[in-house]
């Protein structure tokens, strides 16, 4: 599926939610890696779920549309070295959009004024009990990114057309805390996008391609 900027904006306007998910409805049956379990035996983290938000940043280049991702620093305690979207916990006084933009500034130096929020994807429940709200944002091409070395080892871009190809998403499984965990994996060159990040990107593909 190939999109130009006008087509992408039109689909976002039509198929994304203009409002963040409410505090009650998404927690009743949120999607997550547990949704991929083939026999339905996956353990769903019980509520209350910790609220988090990520920015799904898309930028229009001369060559087409790209999505910005990060490689987490190797020294981090949680998810070290993994590919991620900028994001983190939602503070009590914040909205999901404010949290996503704040985290993007803290992690990669992305100025909030250079991001145009376009809407929200479905909330995604991580295996560790975080209910993640993905915020889609169009990043101005002149934005200069400065990764924070205490959190981010690298920033890179993936063509949106690559992410829109359903055939690139692999369903994998591994043992985690004594149970078999199923998850999406998306190889990209020498990198592997997997877990919550791949699940959110798969939801983006579903929303735009349906």
């Amino acid at each position: 599926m190939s999109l130009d900027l006008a087509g992408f904006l039109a689909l976002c306007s039509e198929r994304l939610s203009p409002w963040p998910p409410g505090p009650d409805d998404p927690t009743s049956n949120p999607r997550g890696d547990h949704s991929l379990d083939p026999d339905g035996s996956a353990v769903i983290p019980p509520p209350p779920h910790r609220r988090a938000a990520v920015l799904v940043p898309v930028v229009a280049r001369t060559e087409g549309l790209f999505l910005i991702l990060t490689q987490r620093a190797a020294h981090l305690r949680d998810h070290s070295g993994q590919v991620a979207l900028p994001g983190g916990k939602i503070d009590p006084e914040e909205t999901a959009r404010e949290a996503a933009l704040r985290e993007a500034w803290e992690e990669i130096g992305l100025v909030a004024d250079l991001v145009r929020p376009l809407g929200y994807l479905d909330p995604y429940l991580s295996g560790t009990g975080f209910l993640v709200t993905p915020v889609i944002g169009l990043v101005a091409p002149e934005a200069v990114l400065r990764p924070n070395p205490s959190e981010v080892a690298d920033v890179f871009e993936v063509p949106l057309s690559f992410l829109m190809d359903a055939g690139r998403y692999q369903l994998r499984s591994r043992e985690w805390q004594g149970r078999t965990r199923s998850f999406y994996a998306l190889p990209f060159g020498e990198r592997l996008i997997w877990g919550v990040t791949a699940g959110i990107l798969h939801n983006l593909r579903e929303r735009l391609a349906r």
Side-chain angles (χ1 to χ4, degrees):
M1 180 181 182
S2 179
L3 290 171
D4 59 13
L5 179 57
F8 173 72
L9 292 176
L11 286 178
C12 286
S13 176
E14 176 187 345
R15 299 177 183 178
L16 297 183
S17 170
W19 308 106
D24 299 320
D25 56 322
T27 60
S28 60
N29 186 27
R31 66 170 56 206
D33 288 351
H34 59 272
S35 307
L36 306 176
D37 184 67
D39 59 12
S41 64
V43 175
I44 303 175
H49 302 132
R50 292 170 288 179
R51 297 173 64 238
V54 295
L55 182 67
V56 184
V58 176
V59 59
R61 306 290 188 198
T62 304
E63 305 89 343
L65 297 174
F66 292 80
L67 191 136
I68 301 169
L69 290 169
T70 71
Q71 188 97 32
R72 290 173 58 82
H75 64 265
L76 294 175
R77 183 183 64 180
D78 298 322
H79 311 296
S80 60
Q82 291 185 13
V83 173
L85 293 157
K89 297 177 184 177
I90 301 175
D91 291 337
E93 70 280 3
E94 287 183 313
T95 65
R97 184 178 75 175
E98 289 169 343
L101 292 174
R102 173 182 55 76
E103 290 283 350
W105 163 250
E106 293 175 358
E107 291 183 14
I108 60 176
L110 177 56
V111 177
D113 288 347
L114 297 180
V115 182
R116 173 185 167 188
L118 300 176
Y120 299 85
L121 294 174
D122 300 323
Y124 202 93
L125 180 60
S126 76
T128 53
F130 281 98
L131 188 67
V132 184
T133 298
V135 184
I136 312 299
L138 181 67
V139 177
E142 66 269 22
V144 177
L145 304 182
R146 298 181 176 86
N148 179 351
S150 66
E151 298 189 57
V152 175
D154 193 18
V155 177
F156 64 101
E157 298 179 4
V158 181
L160 188 64
S161 58
F162 180 92
L163 301 173
M164 292 298 102
D165 184 350
R168 297 189 182 276
Y169 291 83
Q170 304 172 3
L171 188 58
R172 298 186 182 182
S173 63
R174 63 183 293 186
E175 291 298 316
W176 185 66
Q177 295 186 351
R179 294 181 178 272
T180 300
R181 173 187 175 186
S182 299
F183 56 90
Y184 281 119
L186 184 63
F188 178 68
E190 297 180 351
R191 306 181 197 263
L192 181 66
I193 308 165
W194 67 282
V196 172
T197 299
I200 290 172
L201 297 180
H202 188 268
N203 182 222
L204 174 66
R205 188 203 67 78
E206 289 179 316
R207 284 290 194 97
L208 298 187
R210 69 185 181 193

